[in-house]
Structure formats: structure tokens, C-alpha cells
Amino acid sequence: MSRIEKSILKYFNEYFPYYFLGGVTVMSILIRLYCKDYISMDMEYFLLPWYDVFKSKGVCSLSNQVGDYNICYQTIIFLFTLIPIKPIYIYKIFSAVFDYGIAIVAALIVDDKPATKLWERIESGRFLTAYTVLVFSPIIFLNSSCWGQCDSIYSFFILFSLLSFLKKRYNLMFVAYGMAFSFKFHAIFVLPFFLIIYFVYEKFPISKFILPPLILEISAIPGLIMGRGILDPFIIYMKQTGTYSAVSMNYNSFWNILVKSWKGVNKDYYEFKMVASFFTVFVLGLILKMLIDNKRVLDTFSTVLLLHITVYTCILFLPTMHERYSYIYEITAIMLMFYDKQYFFPGVGVILLSCITYGHYLFGIEYPVLLTSLLNVFIYCVYMHFFYKNLRNCYKIT
């Protein structure tokens, strides 16, 4: 081998992580570009008509509710109308940007070595692998670039909130959580995680919980200036809770095993809703009891697992869950794979089940609901077993 060839190979090997990162990013962008023209039902019947309202009425449209998103995202839709890009593209570009934010923040959490420089993180094989798996996760790129949904936006702020907690920056943690809540009401599924942390580990005062609603109000300032009421951000979310009245909305819910009405409205839905809600609180209470009885040191892995299991509990047992609501615990399922190989198969199961429901909504592919729901409950039980096992193995707080 010549000296020149050796020099080239040495240079290539030295900077390979950067070439790999660039190549992965370019390929993942190409995948998203190929999805850019797909028009989902949500895009056709909701997102594009909302855009047209903001386009025709301008900033005055912020004085009234358009659609069912909160004022923060309504303001962003108005800003979209000022950009000379097709609305379907600007929706998807905005969400796809947060795909990469999710991948970076999640990879930083997974690669929890004490590196102080960004390039030290990039050169880590664990960081690169986590980033790669996340940007190529079908749940992530289908949600943003095919469906045109904004789940990546609020999920990015949830993960940033988790990272802030791990860094013991609790004010920033609640500010980030407030931003997540400003974009999607689905961020409420993370609240049990923060409450459990508060009650069991006493990391921050209860006064910190005022920050998320305060951030929600601040994010609504453009609408408030245009004449919206100060309680409107909260009223919008209260109305969302009554939008649907079906046991499940294309999610592999626990209740699909018991109630054969997942595709339509159940006449006894409202009574059932209370039963399901109380049952969810009961399961969350069991998780809280396990943590109190086995009060252990929370390392990074245990924290991610706790977030995963609390969100999974909410989505699995609450009624009227859509397939997209599991977005957060799908990301944490991927993250958990990098901590212990035993999480690989349940993590793959979580992603495959979500792909099935995405395929049904986006492309009309039918699937056996009872079977997939049973599999989902089984996977949840596997995670609960791992959760309890992990608590027993962690160092006990003295």
C-alpha cells in the first residue's frame, strides 16, 4: 500500500463518524422528500382547510378558533401563510425538522458519557447508532413527512425536558414541558412521570408545576392580543377531551379485548370512560407504590424506563386513544434498546404494532384488531416485568 493510499485511509477513518452522520442524514432526508406529495385525510380535511382560513383572513383569524389545535400552533400556521411554499410542504418541513431534533436529543440521552464537546458525542458509536435508528424509524418519518402531523414537535420538547431533568435543570425542564403542552394536549400523558418524580424523589418544589400553564399562556400571546380570552388555551384542550366517543381510535388498546366497538360509538361510552380512567389511575398508583416500596437511585436508564412505562400505561388503558398518541413511548422503546439487549424484541414489537396501525390509517391495510391488542398488552406486561426487575437491581436510597 502506497504512502498516499495510507494517508487517504487514515484521513477517512479519522473523520468517518462525520461522513457517516452526513450520509445518514442525507438519505433520511431523501426518504422524507419521496413522501412529500402524499395527502393524508388529516391533511385534506383539516390542515389544508385551516391554512386556507389563515391565508384568506390573515392575522385577524387569530381572534377566533380555527381547527382544534391550540393558539401556539395556530400562530405558526398563520406564519406558514407568509412563506411562499406550498402549504403541504411547509407543514411537513416544519415537522420533519423536529424529527432530527428528536434524534439528536434522544441520542444525547442514550450516550450519557460525560463528554463536553459536541464532536465528542458525534464520534461516539452509540450516539451515531441511536441517531441513525431514530431518523430512519418508520413511525417518525411517516408521521411527519407522509402524514403531515406535528407529533415530532411536542415530542422533541418532551425529550428536551427529560434531558433537562437528567442535567438537574428543573426550571428548564418545566419550561420545555410547557412548550410541549402548548403544541399538543397529548403532553398530558407525561404528567404522571413528573408527579411520580415529585412524590418519590423530592427533586424540585411543587411550585415548579406552575411553569407549564404559564408557558401555555405566554405561547398564546398573539391570540390574546387579537382578542382571545385568557382561559381560551385551557378551554381548547377541555373541548378536545369530548371530541371522540369511541373505545379506541385505531390504537391497540387493552379495551379492544373486552369491548367490540373500537370502530364506532358505544352507547355506554361515557360510563365506560369513567371505568377506564379510574383503572388507569389504579395502574399508575401501582407503579407509584412500587417506587415507594423500592426507593432506588434513578440513573439515566431507570429514568427513561420510568417515562416509558408511565406513558405506555396511559395510552394502553385510557379510552379514545389514536395510534399517534403512542409516539413518545415508541421513541423511548428505541432508546431502551441501547441500554440492555433484553429490550430489543419488545421494542421491535412496539414499533411493528404501530406500523400496522399507521398502515391501516394511511394506506387502508386491514389487520386483526383483537390479536394486535393482545400482543400489545403482552408487550406491556414484559416491560412491567423489566421495570420491577430493574427496581430490585438498582441501588437503594439510604
Side-chain angles (χ1 to χ4, degrees):
M1 185 178 291
S2 67
R3 183 179 300 176
I4 295 176
E5 189 177 354
K6 287 182 179 179
S7 299
I8 292 173
L9 288 176
K10 181 181 178 181
Y11 182 85
F12 175 80
N13 289 328
E14 183 177 355
Y15 292 97
F16 174 77
Y18 302 97
Y19 299 141
F20 185 84
L21 180 67
V24 163
T25 302
V26 169
M27 286 189 289
S28 64
I29 291 173
L30 290 175
I31 286 178
R32 286 160 172 79
L33 286 175
Y34 280 114
C35 297
K36 70 182 188 304
D37 290 313
Y38 181 86
I39 301 178
S40 66
M41 285 191 290
D42 284 348
M43 182 66 70
E44 182 177 2
Y45 295 110
F46 301 104
L47 296 173
L48 292 179
W50 296 345
Y51 177 95
D52 291 337
V53 172
F54 283 105
K55 185 73 173 178
S56 62
K57 296 185 178 180
V59 71
C60 295
S61 56
L62 291 174
S63 62
N64 297 294
Q65 183 65 18
V66 179
D68 60 0
Y69 283 153
N70 217 306
I71 298 172
C72 179
Y73 196 60
Q74 290 184 59
T75 304
I76 289 173
I77 297 175
F78 162 69
L79 294 176
F80 286 168
T81 65
L82 306 179
I83 302 173
I85 300 177
K86 289 180 65 175
I88 186 175
Y89 296 160
I90 194 66
Y91 273 118
K92 294 184 176 184
I93 289 171
F94 188 66
S95 293
V97 167
F98 286 89
D99 289 356
Y100 296 93
I102 285 174
I104 292 170
V105 174
L108 287 173
I109 294 172
V110 167
D111 182 42
D112 57 354
K113 297 176 182 177
T116 56
K117 301 290 193 303
L118 178 59
W119 57 83
E120 291 177 354
R121 297 284 193 172
I122 294 174
E123 291 171 0
S124 166
R126 196 171 186 180
F127 176 94
L128 281 175
T129 307
Y131 174 87
T132 301
V133 172
L134 285 159
V135 295
F136 280 104
S137 169
I139 298 306
I140 291 180
F141 73 74
L142 284 175
N143 187 286
S144 60
S145 58
C146 191
W147 204 323
Q149 282 291 344
C150 63
D151 296 283
S152 61
I153 304 172
Y154 89 90
S155 299
F156 164 78
F157 287 109
I158 292 296
L159 288 176
F160 191 80
S161 179
L162 175 62
L163 180 62
S164 300
F165 170 76
L166 295 170
K167 299 295 184 183
K168 297 181 173 59
R169 303 179 67 180
Y170 303 121
N171 285 330
L172 186 58
M173 175 185 76
F174 277 105
V175 168
Y177 180 56
M179 285 302 302
F181 198 63
S182 299
F183 277 97
K184 278 272 188 165
F185 187 48
H186 309 161
I188 196 71
F189 301 132
V190 182
L191 182 59
F193 167 77
F194 290 120
L195 290 173
I196 288 172
I197 292 295
Y198 167 74
F199 283 112
V200 180
Y201 295 99
E202 303 172 3
K203 297 287 187 179
F204 43 79
I206 196 170
S207 58
K208 300 293 183 186
F209 283 94
I210 197 64
L211 287 173
L214 180 61
I215 296 298
L216 178 61
E217 283 291 342
I218 293 173
S219 71
I221 284 177
L224 300 180
I225 292 174
M226 296 305 298
R228 301 293 294 269
I230 194 169
L231 294 179
D232 277 12
F234 302 96
I235 294 172
I236 291 169
Y237 284 152
M238 290 300 100
K239 288 182 177 179
Q240 284 185 17
T241 61
T243 302
Y244 302 102
S245 56
V247 172
S248 174
M249 302 293 292
N250 194 33
Y251 174 72
N252 295 306
S253 171
F254 169 79
W255 303 108
N256 288 338
I257 301 170
L258 302 175
V259 184
K260 192 179 179 181
S261 62
W262 74 283
K263 287 186 176 180
V265 176
N266 189 318
K267 64 180 181 180
D268 300 319
Y269 170 76
Y270 294 102
E271 291 80 5
F272 163 78
K273 180 178 180 180
M274 296 306 299
V275 171
S277 299
F278 283 124
F279 187 81
T280 306
V281 173
F282 164 72
V283 179
L284 290 171
L286 287 179
I287 295 172
L288 177 61
K289 185 179 185 302
M290 278 193 285
L291 285 164
I292 292 174
D293 292 344
N294 303 275
K295 196 170 182 181
R296 310 285 168 149
V297 174
L298 267 188
D299 56 9
T300 300
F301 164 67
S302 301
T303 306
V304 174
L305 181 56
L306 177 59
L307 175 62
H308 176 77
I309 204 68
T310 50
V311 175
Y312 205 159
T313 299
C314 291
I315 309 302
L316 184 67
F317 294 112
L318 285 173
T320 322
M321 295 293 103
H322 290 248
E323 64 290 295
R324 292 180 292 104
Y325 294 3
S326 56
Y327 194 92
I328 284 291
Y329 81 69
E330 290 157 4
I331 294 172
T332 52
I334 293 173
M335 295 168 67
L336 289 170
M337 295 180 192
F338 291 91
Y339 292 103
D340 193 319
K341 62 183 179 181
Q342 69 180 348
Y343 289 88
F344 178 78
F345 287 110
V348 170
V350 163
I351 300 303
L352 288 179
L353 285 177
S354 291
C355 285
I356 289 171
T357 56
Y358 272 50
H360 174 75
Y361 182 85
L362 292 173
F363 311 115
I365 300 172
E366 296 296 332
Y367 66 96
V369 178
L370 178 60
L371 177 60
T372 54
S373 298
L374 283 168
L375 286 173
N376 199 27
V377 173
F378 174 76
I379 292 172
Y380 172 82
C381 291
V382 171
Y383 277 117
M384 282 294 285
H385 169 70
F386 289 158
F387 176 69
Y388 180 74
K389 182 180 175 182
N390 178 69
L391 283 179
R392 302 294 294 177
N393 293 336
C394 288
Y395 292 110
K396 192 172 181 66
I397 296 176
T398 57

